[in-house]
Amino acid sequence: MKTKQDLKASDKQFIWHPFTQMQDWERSAPIIISEGKGCFLRDLDGKWYLDGVSSLWVNVHGHRKKEIDRAIKAQVNKISHSTLLGLSNEPAILLAERLVKLLNAPLPAPHYARVFYSDNGSTAVEVALKMAFQYWRHTGVETKNSFLCLNNAYHGDTLGAVSVGGIDMFHKAFGPLLFRTFRAPSPFCYRCELQRHHPECGCACLGPMEEILKSHHQEIAGLIIEPLVQAAGGMIMSPPGYLKGVRELCTKYDVLMIADEVATGFGRTGRMFACEHEDVLPDIVCLSKGLTGGYLPLAATMTTDRIYSAFLGEFRDLKTFFHGHSFTGNPLGCAAALACLEIFEKERVVERLQPKVLLLKKLLGEMNGLAHVGDTRSRGLMAAVELVLDKGTREPYSWEDRIGWKVALKAREKGLLIRPLGNIIVIMPPLSITKKDLARLMSVIKESIEEVT
Ligand code: PMP
């Protein structure tokens, strides 16, 4: 049996951590998580931490939620994995039916028809891009070979997802490997690319998007967007009406709308899906993260009958969607997802979220007075505090200062785990967090900002 010290040493010797400068990591004192309960995580040394970012935005109902634990164990006792290529399995069938009903539930008539499974957010996006591209081929349109995406977008780390990403620090290095895209401004009111002000601007950032579509719609298969919140780009929240405007432009110029709800889905924005806020119906929706309650890697790309039926034909027509992964439709993941959705319904999670949403807004508002807080923003239980060097000019801290990271380390000493995005402190606790723990989370962040800036 390895001791705590052995494990720490082996971690540094054998693991290459994601999005991590390993030279820093090798010099640091890593936290090794040994168990979780509700919104808390315990490390090997026995210290408990509040999970302030839901274990990277995935956990929804808390850790060790008994209904999900039970569903996975019951499924293990039947079978853990069988393929969806040429076979099917019960949890995958039940989940697909449930997801289609769930997405159609708020609508007067069914819009979504099919679920294509994969393993993670990036693959859900790859599937969407390939599906959109191939759809046009099947309908006889040969020119739609590109995509329209947004500055500051993040859709995952596989090369297709990186091609439609817009975060230079993460994506620029891979430039020579990426396919060509068109780029529209990010709907970032605090740092507006057009130097305009909302609401007087009337969502002026839709103007350049329309210009691109007007000139290039024959080349554009689809527009991909993180609805309402560009999450990894810095928790950038689009102004009211923007998303609806995007949908209208996609319809006007006959471009498929792909909504990447990987981060925003499953209650995070205060509705089950972000698109519901503006009654927007994308042609393709990507889901992952919270789908299994944050327990297991599973993703779903959902689409309409219009797109699905374009892929039907004789085998020799080669209209088949040649895409699939070893773990597509994994029964354990699907069983976890079914239990997760059952909890949403039984515990009326989204309805009961509203007092927490208001509390978070109020506590965020109280941070606006801090000397180096330039902006605070939230949508549902997704929130951000943007730290600035100079509040008057909005001058950011230099990225090399790693100010967000310093705040996160301070919070860690106080028993809170958060992961910033540059100068932006991200707040995204499990939806099951209590009001008391939410207040504690916010007071630790406030104290940490005060002590570091
Ligand atoms: N899309 C969005 C909007 C995301 O926030 C993320 C991950 N943070 C992804 C896609 C990629 O998901 P994954 O890390 O599971 O590949």
Side-chain angles (χ1 to χ4, degrees), residues 56-58 119-125 154-158 161 225-227 229-232 260-264 286 288-289:
L56 217 69
W57 315 350
V58 299
D119 330 303
N120 59 68
S122 308
T123 54
V125 166
Y154 179 83
H155 298 288
D157 294 333
T158 50
I225 186 167
E226 296 159 85
V229 186
Q230 289 190 294
D260 175 355
E261 291 248 18
V262 168
T264 52
C286 305
S288 188
K289 290 193 187 279

Side-chain angles (χ1 to χ4, degrees), residues 23-87:
Q23 182 171 297
D24 290 346
W25 181 270
E26 287 177 20
R27 292 175 187 153
S28 71
I31 292 182
I32 301 177
I33 299 300
S34 59
E35 64 174 278
K37 182 85 189 132
C39 293
F40 290 85
L41 299 169
R42 180 182 183 270
D43 73 6
L44 272 186
D45 298 314
K47 181 168 175 179
W48 284 91
Y49 298 89
L50 187 50
D51 186 359
V53 285
S54 304
S55 295
L56 217 69
W57 315 350
V58 299
N59 192 281
V60 178
H61 305 301
H63 300 276
R64 271 168 55 206
K65 182 78 178 168
K66 66 178 186 308
E67 291 86 345
I68 307 181
D69 288 2
R70 227 186 270 138
I72 294 172
K73 287 176 190 163
Q75 187 57 42
V76 168
N77 288 336
K78 292 183 189 162
I79 184 167
S80 293
H81 184 66
S82 64
T83 181
L84 218 59
L85 276 71
L87 293 174

